């Protein structure tokens, strides 16, 4: 089984200092780039997060402060990483809810204008959960009949994710071997930002998906409570959420002239 691709797809996995998309940092990133002709390219980087790695995170992935002390920062690696993924779609395990949002935050902090308008994403975990509802280790055993001995190593998890997707396509004939179709299948809901703070209603209008204005259109809230926009920009929201909200506001302003 080979993926039917019209463009490359980059499967990737992150090991991090924690699970807070806005605050935590990458300590390891591994990318497996699969090309339409079947060729593959793989890279793994250790990353100095410029902050202490909590003991509970080190216990999961085994990466300590000492191990990354002399490694490059994400900003130093950002252009090289972006060059590898910019022409590709993205794939991962729980990537739509965690890896992609955190990668976007790191890119924006490094002044790389990361955007997914020309990309789609396939979250292999969503396929797994819709079909079997288990973990990556169980998925690897179930679909590939292999033990994931080096779990929570970014490189091992990345390769396992790619192999699981191939096995899923073999097992489920109803799954189309098409990245855009797989992306649609793995999309949980329509969001304009990765973290899910800005969604779309049935009329495809941007709405707030949290807090006191949950379900209200962004346009309505900005008109009735203009200070809400400034509050979000100054609060602890992900940078990508702020970017999307700013783009919506600028679009509305431009339409008035």
């Amino acid at each position: 089984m080979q993926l039917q691709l019209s463009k490359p797809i980059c499967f990737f996995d992150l090991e991090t200092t924690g699970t807070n998309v806005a605050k935590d940092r990458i300590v390891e990133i591994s990318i497996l780039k699969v090309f339409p002709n079947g060729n593959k390219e793989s890279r793994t980087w250790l990353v100095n997060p410029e902050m202490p790695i909590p003991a509970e995170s080190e216990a999961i992935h085994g990466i300590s402060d000492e191990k990354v002390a002399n490694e490059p920062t994400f900003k130093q690696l950002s252009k090289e990483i972006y060059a590898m993924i910019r022409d590709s779609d993205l794939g991962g395990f729980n990537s739509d809810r965690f890896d992609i949002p955190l990668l976007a935050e790191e890119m924006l902090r490094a002044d790389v204008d990361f955007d997914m308008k020309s990309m789609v994403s396939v979250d292999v975990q969503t396929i797994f959960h819709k079909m079997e509802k288990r973990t990556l280790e169980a998925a690897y055993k179930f679909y590939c009949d292999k033990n994931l001995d080096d779990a929570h190593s970014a490189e091992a998890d990345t390769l396992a994710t790619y192999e699981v997707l191939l096995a899923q396509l073999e097992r489920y004939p109803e799954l189309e071997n098409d990245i855009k179709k797989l992306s649609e299948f793995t999309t949980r809901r329509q969001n304009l930002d990765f973290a899910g703070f800005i969604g779309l209603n049935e009329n495809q209008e941007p709405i707030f998906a949290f807090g006191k204005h949950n379900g209200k259109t962004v346009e309505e809230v900005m008109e009735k409570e203009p200070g809400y926009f400034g509050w979000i920009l100054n609060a602890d929201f992900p940078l990508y959420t702020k970017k999307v909200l700013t783009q919506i506001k600028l679009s509305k302003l431009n339409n008035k002239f």
Side-chain angles (χ1 to χ4, degrees):
M1 170 67 71
Q2 284 195 349
L3 289 176
Q4 294 179 10
L5 302 173
S6 58
K7 62 189 288 190
I9 180 169
C10 285
F11 293 89
F12 78 102
D13 185 70
L14 307 177
E15 302 303 335
T16 66
T17 59
T19 58
N20 186 311
V21 169
K23 293 182 178 180
D24 280 303
R25 301 291 190 268
I26 295 170
V27 298
E28 186 179 31
I29 177 170
S30 186
I31 300 174
L32 174 66
K33 187 170 187 176
V34 183
F35 294 87
N37 64 3
N39 289 345
K40 303 179 188 68
E41 176 186 347
S42 179
R43 292 290 310 275
T44 300
W45 296 268
L46 283 170
V47 184
N48 185 334
E50 301 181 277
M51 66 179 292
I53 300 172
E56 56 269 27
S57 298
E58 182 182 343
I60 293 172
H61 49 57
I63 300 172
S64 63
D65 292 332
E66 292 75 20
K67 190 172 182 178
V68 295
N70 297 317
E71 298 295 336
T73 65
F74 187 86
K75 186 165 188 174
Q76 291 170 323
L77 293 169
S78 58
K79 290 181 173 56
E80 183 180 0
I81 293 171
Y82 188 57
M84 188 171 182
I85 68 174
R86 65 185 303 169
D87 65 339
S88 307
D89 293 320
L90 297 178
F93 199 87
N94 194 33
S95 50
D96 283 352
R97 289 193 294 181
F98 181 70
D99 297 82
I100 291 175
L102 185 54
L103 179 63
E105 289 299 291
E106 290 277 37
M107 287 290 184
L108 292 173
R109 278 192 289 266
D111 299 321
V112 175
D113 190 19
F114 182 79
D115 206 305
M116 287 194 65
K117 289 178 181 176
S118 61
M119 300 175 175
V120 297
S121 65
V122 177
D123 193 330
V124 175
Q125 185 193 60
T126 303
I127 296 175
F128 183 39
H129 284 180
K130 283 187 174 183
M131 299 297 190
E132 305 296 342
K133 296 182 171 62
R134 294 183 185 173
T135 62
L136 178 57
E137 289 91 334
Y140 198 50
K141 181 66 176 177
F142 182 85
Y143 290 109
C144 305
D145 197 25
K146 299 178 183 178
N147 294 318
L148 187 52
D149 297 324
D150 202 11
H152 297 298
S153 154
E155 186 171 2
D157 288 357
T158 298
L159 180 59
T161 298
Y162 169 62
E163 291 184 22
V164 166
L165 178 57
L166 295 181
Q168 287 172 331
L169 290 169
E170 293 273 12
R171 178 176 288 267
Y172 305 116
E174 64 268 35
L175 287 178
E176 291 190 51
N177 191 344
D178 178 273
I179 293 302
K180 288 187 178 179
K181 295 291 185 182
L182 291 171
S183 177
E184 291 170 4
F185 185 82
T186 60
T187 298
R188 291 178 173 85
R189 65 178 184 178
Q190 285 187 298
N191 294 321
L192 294 179
D193 66 329
F194 299 127
F197 289 110
I198 311 296
L200 288 171
N201 62 17
E202 62 275 8
N203 298 319
Q204 299 298 295
E205 299 170 314
I207 60 171
F208 287 108
F210 72 98
K212 65 178 183 179
H213 293 307
N214 188 21
K216 296 180 183 177
T217 66
V218 173
E219 183 176 10
E220 174 190 359
V221 173
M222 285 184 176
E223 287 180 358
K224 294 183 177 179
E225 193 178 337
Y228 197 63
F229 174 74
W231 173 75
I232 290 177
L233 290 188
N234 290 310
D236 192 22
F237 285 91
L239 295 175
Y240 198 85
T241 299
K242 296 176 182 180
K243 176 183 176 181
V244 168
L245 193 58
T246 300
Q247 288 174 336
I248 294 171
K249 183 175 183 179
L250 291 174
S251 175
K252 296 296 180 184
L253 288 173
N254 291 334
N255 288 337
K256 290 182 179 180
F257 294 103

